[in-house]
């Protein structure tokens, strides 16, 4: 029997409610490729151990008969493998879990050890050593989702949708997400060589130096003689909403013509943070709806305290997940217009589960919809005003705000 304790935090990019799941005990991570083939035989072994090989009456649940071949394979390995002293049951099971996750049809699910998850959370919080970019598993490749401003990645020619072919000469093809994550990480000041394939098919070798990355969740710049507030939201963490509230309070709104919210290259964050941020621009109504296997949950606006001045939201191919959630809510409620290029299209909800205190599983468990019921997964958001080049985004946004100066949203 598995017990689940839920709270309202989510994984990077994929907003959802997180859950802590208690089940059987599992050991160390299976370390290298030499045992990956062996682990493939054990992919469903976790089900046997976590569920104690029980038969379930629920439709679609595993039965002892269905899992029998897996148990037989596991027993065969333990009884007949030529070098039994080299076998570590816990590592085999850990490898089986990773193998099972790798077989899921979506590319956002992942597993972490406690130490790996600690590093993952540091990236979520915008405080870590690395290159300053978000990556994901795309088929058998590692793809760039976004680069963060002021980081080694952003100062290079790397951009969203680039494919990382090699890391320090090691091919990323068929690497697990965690293996790629580990390869890109390292000590501050060390170099890493990346072979990149751009969307146009060209390839490039780039050498970057890992740095201490500190990403402020929200930044403010006043434009046009302090008449336009440019609010750059870099990520959605526990500090984002409070920081945004502080910025909005300090604005002299009676002098403003409007706001520009920059969500370009923002790859997402926590669900609560996204809902709170969207609420500060949407008076009332649904911010998003999550649709899971057995449950539909609506998240409503918590209300705002600022005048609904003309608002432009900047998006691009690096705008993903929680950022798309916020942009979609603002668009559907008519509280602003979207300017830029199509967003990334990451609309699957992921929940983070802790198994026996040492292993974290990040699993896609639902999809999220915009207030009008749009599912952005794999298609993204289409801007109301499309621009071909990022350098034109601000000019177009400022022009639109000036054209609607003195009006309140929704128009």
């Amino acid at each position: 029997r598995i017990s689940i304790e839920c709270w309202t935090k989510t994984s990077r990019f994929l907003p959802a409610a997180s859950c802590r799941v208690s089940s059987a005990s599992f050991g160390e991570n299976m370390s290298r490729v030499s045992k990956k083939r062996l682990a493939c035989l054990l992919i469903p072994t976790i089900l046997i151990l976590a569920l104690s090989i029980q038969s379930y009456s629920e439709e679609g649940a595993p039965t002892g008969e269905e899992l029998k071949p897996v148990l037989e394979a596991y027993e065969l390995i333990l009884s007949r493998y030529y070098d039994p002293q080299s076998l570590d049951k816990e590592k085999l099971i850990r490898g089986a879990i990773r193998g099972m996750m790798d077989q899921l049809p979506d590319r956002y699910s992942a597993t972490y050890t406690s130490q790996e998850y600690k590093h993952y959370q540091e990236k979520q919080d915008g405080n870590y050593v690395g290159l300053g970019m978000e990556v994901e598993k795309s088929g058998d490749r590692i793809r760039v989702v976004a680069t963060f401003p002021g980081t080694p990645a952003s100062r290079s020619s790397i951009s969203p949708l680039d494919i990382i072919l090699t890391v320090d000469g090691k091919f990323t093809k068929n690497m697990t997400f965690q293996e790629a994550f580990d390869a890109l990480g390292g000590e501050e000041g060390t170099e890493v060589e990346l072979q990149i394939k751009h969307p146009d098919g060209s390839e490039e070798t780039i050498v970057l130096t890992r740095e201490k990355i500190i990403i402020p969740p929200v930044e403010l710049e006043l434009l046009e003689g302090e008449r336009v507030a440019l609010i750059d939201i870099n990520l959605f963490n526990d500090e984002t909403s409070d920081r945004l509230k502080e910025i909005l309070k300090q604005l002299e709104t009676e002098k403003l013509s409007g706001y520009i919210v920059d969500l370009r290259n923002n790859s997402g964050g926590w669900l609560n943070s996204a809902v709170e941020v969207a609420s500060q621009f949407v008076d009332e109504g649904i911010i998003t709806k999550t649709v899971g296997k057995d449950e539909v949950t609506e998240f409503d606006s918590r209300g705002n305290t600022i005048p609904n001045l003309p608002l432009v939201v900047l998006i691009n191919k690096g705008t993903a997940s929680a950022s798309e959630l916020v942009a979609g809510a603002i668009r559907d409620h008519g509280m602003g217009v979207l300017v830029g290029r199509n967003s990334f299209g990451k609309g699957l909800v992921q929940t983070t589960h802790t198994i026996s205190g040492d292993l974290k599983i990040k699993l896609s468990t639902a999809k999220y919809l915009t207030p009008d019921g749009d599912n952005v997964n794999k298609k993204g958001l289409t801007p109301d005003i499309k621009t071909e080049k990022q350098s034109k985004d601000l000019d177009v946004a400022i022009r639109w705000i000036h054209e609607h100066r003195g009006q309140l949203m929704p128009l």
Side-chain angles (χ1 to χ4, degrees), residues 75 230 252 269 280 293 309 326 335 352:
E75 291 175 343
L230 173 60
E252 297 181 51
Q280 294 181 53
K293 179 176 178 290
L309 302 178
V326 172
M335 304 308 292
T352 302

Side-chain angles (χ1 to χ4, degrees), residues 108-142:
Y108 305 127
S109 300
T111 59
Y112 306 90
T113 63
S114 294
Q115 187 63 28
E116 290 166 349
Y117 193 72
K118 177 183 177 183
H119 294 156
Y120 168 79
Q121 286 187 306
E122 288 173 349
K123 291 192 71 175
Q124 301 295 83
D125 294 336
N127 189 352
Y128 63 98
V129 173
L131 303 177
M133 63 180 174
E134 196 71 54
V135 299
E136 67 166 9
K137 187 79 178 291
S138 177
D140 60 358
R141 296 294 191 181
I142 301 299

Side-chain angles (χ1 to χ4, degrees), residues 231-249:
I231 303 168
D232 191 352
I233 302 177
N234 296 313
L235 45 79
F236 291 92
N237 63 17
D238 290 338
E239 300 177 5
T240 306
S241 179
D242 288 341
R243 178 57 184 149
L244 177 60
K245 288 177 182 176
E246 293 173 2
I247 285 175
L248 294 175
K249 282 181 180 179

Side-chain angles (χ1 to χ4, degrees), residues 54-122:
Q54 296 182 57
S55 295
Y56 287 79
S57 59
E58 303 163 8
E59 184 179 355
T63 65
E65 189 63 29
E66 290 172 339
L67 296 175
K68 185 178 179 181
V70 181
L71 182 58
E72 289 177 353
Y74 180 65
E75 291 175 343
L76 177 64
I77 292 167
L78 295 183
S79 63
R80 299 295 299 276
Y81 187 66
Y82 85 100
D83 185 11
Q85 298 302 317
S86 68
L87 296 178
D88 185 317
K89 295 180 182 179
E90 292 184 343
K91 287 185 177 181
L92 293 179
I93 294 167
R94 181 66 56 80
I97 297 169
R98 290 193 185 275
M100 181 165 56
M101 298 295 289
D102 287 342
Q103 296 303 310
L104 294 175
D106 83 280
R107 58 181 182 264
Y108 305 127
S109 300
T111 59
Y112 306 90
T113 63
S114 294
Q115 187 63 28
E116 290 166 349
Y117 193 72
K118 177 183 177 183
H119 294 156
Y120 168 79
Q121 286 187 306
E122 288 173 349

